[in-house]
Amino acid sequence: MDQSPLRIVYTFSQDDQHWLRRFAVDIPSFWDGHSVAPAVNDALRIGGRQFTINGRVWEEDEQGILLRLILSSAFAESDTIFS
C-alpha cells in the first residue's frame, strides 16, 4: 500500500484570511513527517497568533484524500496566556 503524505488544508475565518494575505504570513507545515494527524483542540501558532482546531473534515478530490481543518478565529499574542 502506497503511503502518501497527509494533505492538510486550513480553513480560516474571513478576517483571518485577510490578515494572512495582508501580512503575507507563511503557514508552517506542522505535520510534515509526523504519523499522527492533527486533533480537535490542538493549538497552532501562526504569525504570532494562536488558532485552535475546532473541527476536522475528511474529503476526497482529484488528487486523493485530504484533511480540512476548521480553525478558530485568531487570538493575538498579547491576548494569549499560557499557564
Side-chain angles (χ1 to χ4, degrees):
M1 184 168 144
D2 182 25
Q3 290 281 341
S4 58
L6 178 61
R7 290 187 307 132
I8 296 176
V9 175
Y10 300 96
T11 303
F12 294 94
S13 70
Q14 285 186 331
D15 287 341
D16 291 329
Q17 288 176 31
H18 176 72
W19 169 76
L20 289 164
R21 282 191 304 271
R22 182 169 185 233
F23 294 101
V25 176
D26 288 325
I27 301 171
S29 300
F30 291 107
W31 282 273
D32 279 1
H34 293 272
S35 60
V36 178
V40 171
N41 293 326
D42 279 350
L44 310 175
R45 300 286 281 173
I46 301 171
R49 295 188 179 189
Q50 182 171 310
F51 298 85
T52 303
I53 299 173
N54 287 338
R56 302 176 345 146
V57 179
W58 291 95
E59 297 179 352
E60 183 177 16
D61 64 11
E62 59 279 349
Q63 297 175 17
I65 302 295
L66 66 90
L67 175 59
R68 183 174 305 278
L69 299 179
I70 297 135
L71 302 177
S72 67
S73 294
F75 296 97
E77 187 171 6
S78 61
D79 295 341
T80 305
I81 298 170
F82 294 99
S83 51

